[in-house]
Amino acid sequence: MFSNKENINILTSLLLEYGVSDAVVCPGSRNAPIVHNLSECQQIRCHPVTDERSAGFYALGIAQATQRPTVVCVTSGTALLNLAPAVAEAYYQHVPLVVVSADRPVQWIDQLDGQTLPQPDALGRFVRKAVSLPEPHVASVGSGDGLEAAGKGALSDGDKRLDEERWMCRRLVNEALHAATCRQPAPVHINVPITEPLFAFDVAELPVAKRFRQMEKVSFLNQQRQLFERFFSADRPMIVIGQMAYGIISPETIRSLSQHYVVMAEPLSNLHYQTIHFDEAVRVVESLDRNESLQYVPDYIIYIGDTLVSKPTRRWLRSTKATSCVITPDALDIHDPITTLEDIVECPLEDVDLLLSSFCDIYDNPEDFEDVMAHEDSRHGFHACWQQLLDRCAERAEAYEPGFSQMATVKYFEEQLADLDTDICVHYANSSAVRLACIYAQHYVWCNRGVNGIEGSLSTAAGFSLATDALTVCVIGDLSFFYDQNALWNSNIGGNLRIVLLNNSGGGIFRQLKGLDKSPVATSFVAAQHETTAQGICTQNDIGYISAKDMGEMQIGIVTLLTRETNRPMLLEVFTDVDEDMKAMADYFALLT
């Protein structure tokens, strides 16, 4: 029987997955549940050593002999600090020493409680990775259900938190053990806070906690084969492409991939000539009954790139529980955006396009992969199902004519861009602006999505314009613009910088947050309602200024902004009503279902 502490059970399960065969265990009460679990595993030999300083070197010696990651487990307090000499030695010898330290609950650290000190990061730079696990607290899902049960069906808020805590636990342990064994081995530190009572051992089985597996990089072709075998053995594979730097993936690759597979890509990564409306498609899928929606659910997801703008898509992808694979340029810096990561493919950025385009080559030469033919019908049906939905969303986006609004402004702006035969680089600011770009942009979009803040969007576009002769256009909301107005306080910026300012007198996106309208300060404090215009800012900075307050003025303003020859930047300020902006978006999404 195992401990009833879920973080300890997840840790134990993953230690077994990574092939740990030996653990040096030190005395103590706080680490007793961990020691108990290790002793219950027949695959792990436990070696008791009383002195922690000596124990660290015992574990070092065992790891040297077995060439496997080896655990040294200590209790809370100064016991951990005694491992520092052995950990430092392991660091410089490149030995996969796994330090597991029990800890007191975080709320009692530095509160004059016994055997407490700040343990996370206590070993400093002598470990490659240090993590401190959360403590999943059971709501209505029983601790014996394991990780696989969590997240299925309709969950309460408490169960969702439990599901996320379990996932975070699994992810952090995986990150640490992956770091210990990836490339050249190295020591790592896993800190385990444990609340009392400590000594309940009533769980019959460890949870299923799958490890991260990096596909062997013996050669590019070898790794490619492993990825193909995983991908083509799936019935419903999907490729998701997050934000990527310009030029990493060619438009031809996106176009070819989309012809054969379900590809989710936003304009922040997509150089394709046609927008892929998967944000809208996901909303449609979520509106279907359970049986009908199952035909859209993937069973294997390849994720490449960084963040996705679409929150509904991120939420839906996680709800599918599909096994996921991450393609990354650095296997030591990995992320688990779908929460189901199993496979890791390390691929230099310069080879990403080649790797993705090779998926299309399989259709021309399938004889080397039997699984390609074995699952071809199911993959074809899955692709056809999604393609019909995406085509329908694209048709409705093109046909929808919003009334005068921010949405109408972006739609007309993008239509005019498509008609211009010139080099134009388009930056969108965060919040509503970039979400509208995901509906209408048919080109690569620059956007500060690393942290998604509203500050600096205009400055980034202005800086960009200094390094290129191409026309640089920044589409930006009012709060983001006024926050960053000093970007225009610069005599070096020139006529290739153009700005479309969407001004609806506040943070319109906050109106979309369900329940916020119940707060009496939602408009004044949260959405920051204002009556400010950009005209004075433009005058003091010698910026050409145009304003628009209806559809006709807006359309003339956009044409002028994109075509007028000038040596100084120009700005078009489009004044809209926030209620009309909300209605335009609501009517658009209502047409999809």
Side-chain angles (χ1 to χ4, degrees):
M1 301 292 281
F2 297 94
S3 169
N4 69 343
K5 304 297 183 182
E6 290 219 52
N7 53 1
I8 297 176
N9 290 341
I10 293 169
L11 168 63
T12 307
S13 180
L14 284 169
L15 289 174
L16 294 174
E17 285 286 309
Y18 279 85
V20 170
S21 59
D22 292 270
V24 176
V25 297
C26 299
S29 60
R30 190 62 51 164
N31 67 328
I34 304 173
V35 173
H36 169 85
N37 265 25
L38 295 173
S39 69
E40 286 289 287
C41 298
Q42 294 181 357
Q43 303 95 316
I44 297 177
R45 295 183 294 268
C46 289
H47 310 276
V49 178
T50 301
D51 185 304
E52 285 92 1
R53 186 176 60 173
S54 181
F57 285 102
Y58 263 82
L60 177 67
I62 292 170
Q64 289 171 338
T66 62
Q67 297 187 345
R68 288 171 173 263
T70 300
V71 167
V72 55
C73 178
V74 298
T75 195
S76 61
T78 54
L80 173 63
L81 303 183
N82 287 310
L83 295 179
V87 171
E89 184 64 25
Y91 178 81
Y92 286 108
Q93 282 200 48
H94 315 292
V95 174
L97 189 65
V98 180
V99 174
V100 176
S101 59
D103 199 359
R104 304 298 173 106
V106 64
Q107 63 268 26
W108 291 109
I109 307 303
D110 288 334
Q111 300 306 311
L112 308 183
D113 205 45
Q115 285 188 304
T116 60
L117 54 81
Q119 292 184 192
D121 299 316
L123 298 172
R125 57 157 291 181
F126 296 117
V127 291
R128 179 180 283 168
K129 185 83 176 179
V131 300
S132 192
L133 306 185
E135 283 195 89
H137 292 95
V138 176
S140 62
V141 177
S143 62
D145 289 341
L147 294 183
E148 298 301 313
K152 290 184 178 180
L155 297 179
S156 67
D157 288 343
D159 289 334
K160 288 176 183 176
R161 284 193 297 272
L162 174 61
D163 195 21
E164 288 187 358
E165 288 168 348
R166 285 169 165 163
W167 161 69
M168 184 178 180
C169 223
R170 170 187 175 268
R171 175 174 60 81
L172 290 175
V173 176
N174 257 304
E175 286 178 1
L177 296 177
H178 173 72
T181 54
C182 179
R183 298 179 188 164
Q184 195 170 42
V188 295
H189 176 203
I190 301 173
N191 191 59
V192 190
I194 309 171
T195 55
E196 297 180 5
L198 303 174
F199 312 122
F201 310 119
D202 55 8
V203 175
E205 295 181 354
L206 292 174
V208 176
K210 294 180 179 178
R211 62 165 290 179
F212 295 168
R213 296 187 183 276
Q214 184 177 351
M215 295 185 180
E216 295 179 18
K217 199 176 180 183
V218 177
S219 67
F220 181 76
L221 290 176
N222 174 270
Q223 183 178 248
Q224 193 179 58
R225 173 173 285 277
Q226 295 174 72
L227 180 58
F228 287 163
E229 288 173 349
R230 256 325 228 152
F231 185 82
F232 288 114
S233 64
D235 290 314
R236 302 180 306 280
M238 177 180 285
I239 299 172
V240 178
I241 306 176
Q243 182 177 31
M244 298 193 76
Y246 179 84
I248 297 297
I249 305 177
S250 69
E252 292 77 21
T253 296
I254 292 284
R255 190 178 303 119
S256 297
L257 279 174
S258 300
Q259 289 172 356
H260 299 299
Y261 312 111
V262 180
V263 177
M264 292 189 169
E266 292 176 325
L268 282 71
S269 60
N270 176 19
L271 303 184
H272 191 24
Y273 65 95
Q274 182 178 354
T275 302
I276 303 175
H277 293 273
F278 66 85
D279 177 274
E280 296 93 317
V282 162
R283 294 171 191 254
V284 173
V285 171
E286 288 188 314
S287 70
L288 303 175
D289 64 56
R290 179 172 175 77
N291 289 334
E292 191 177 0
S293 67
L294 288 176
Q295 63 186 319
Y296 296 98
V297 175
D299 57 359
Y300 191 75
I301 298 172
I302 289 179
Y303 193 106
I304 184 169
D306 296 317
T307 185
L308 290 174
V309 172
S310 171
K311 187 174 182 179
T313 301
R314 296 196 305 270
R315 180 184 62 235
W316 180 79
L317 287 170
R318 291 164 186 166
S319 75
T320 67
K321 301 298 179 183
T323 299
S324 59
C325 166
V326 165
I327 298 177
T328 174
D330 185 356
L332 282 174
D333 183 23
I334 53 175
H335 310 283
D336 186 12
I338 311 296
T339 75
T340 55
L341 179 62
E342 288 189 22
D343 299 328
I344 300 167
V345 174
E346 188 173 49
C347 180
L349 287 178
E350 60 268 23
D351 291 334
V352 165
D353 192 69
L354 174 63
L355 180 62
L356 291 179
S357 62
S358 60
F359 279 89
C360 302
D361 297 339
I362 296 297
Y363 270 83
D364 299 324
N365 303 285
E367 57 274 5
D368 292 336
F369 294 90
E370 294 181 3
D371 282 334
V372 172
M373 303 307 295
H375 298 261
E376 184 177 19
D377 289 344
S378 56
R379 277 197 308 274
H380 178 75
F382 183 62
H383 175 259
C385 183
W386 267 100
Q387 196 58 54
Q388 289 174 9
L389 177 56
L390 290 169
D391 288 345
R392 192 177 84 192
C393 291
E395 290 169 2
R396 295 191 178 182
E398 185 175 356
Y400 179 61
E401 295 293 344
F404 178 60
S405 60
Q406 293 186 350
M407 192 174 199
T409 302
V410 171
K411 185 175 192 289
Y412 188 77
F413 167 73
E414 289 293 344
E415 289 171 347
Q416 296 308 300
L417 284 185
D419 292 338
L420 291 176
D421 185 23
T422 183
D423 244 353
I424 300 181
C425 302
V426 185
H427 289 245
Y428 274 86
N430 274 308
S431 204
S432 296
V434 73
R435 285 166 173 80
L436 289 170
C438 288
I439 296 174
Y440 292 116
Q442 298 184 18
H443 53 80
Y444 182 82
V445 165
W446 277 270
C447 184
N448 291 346
R449 290 300 291 180
V451 189
N452 308 350
I454 67 166
E455 73 279 82
S457 296
L458 184 58
S459 292
T460 301
F464 188 100
S465 73
L466 296 178
T468 180
D469 293 329
L471 192 66
T472 302
V473 183
C474 181
V475 182
I476 189 169
D478 46 10
L479 294 188
S480 185
F481 174 84
F482 292 122
Y483 191 96
D484 196 25
Q485 61 182 279
N486 280 344
L488 301 180
W489 184 28
N490 191 312
S491 60
N492 292 320
I493 52 178
N496 68 327
L497 176 64
R498 309 294 165 94
I499 302 157
V500 178
L501 170 55
L502 307 172
N503 190 344
N504 61 6
S505 302
I509 198 168
F510 296 109
R511 298 285 291 270
Q512 300 177 32
L513 302 179
K514 188 176 180 180
L516 181 58
D517 58 337
K518 296 182 175 63
S519 171
V521 297
T523 299
S524 56
F525 290 178
V526 180
Q529 188 177 46
H530 63 85
E531 299 297 330
T532 309
T533 79
Q535 186 170 7
I537 296 168
C538 290
T539 299
Q540 72 181 23
N541 291 293
D542 189 24
I543 308 296
Y545 178 79
I546 310 169
S547 69
K549 296 184 178 179
D550 59 37
M551 191 77 83
E553 290 180 351
M554 176 268 288
Q555 292 176 348
I556 293 171
I558 285 176
V559 172
T560 303
L561 190 81
L562 294 176
T563 59
R564 178 172 292 176
E565 296 289 336
T566 175
N567 293 323
R568 291 297 296 153
M570 287 184 61
L571 180 146
L572 167 65
E573 185 169 22
V574 182
F575 295 94
T576 62
D577 179 79
V578 67
D579 291 325
E580 291 301 316
D581 291 337
M582 289 289 296
K583 183 177 184 300
M585 289 289 283
D587 289 351
Y588 171 72
F589 286 113
L591 280 174
L592 298 172
T593 56

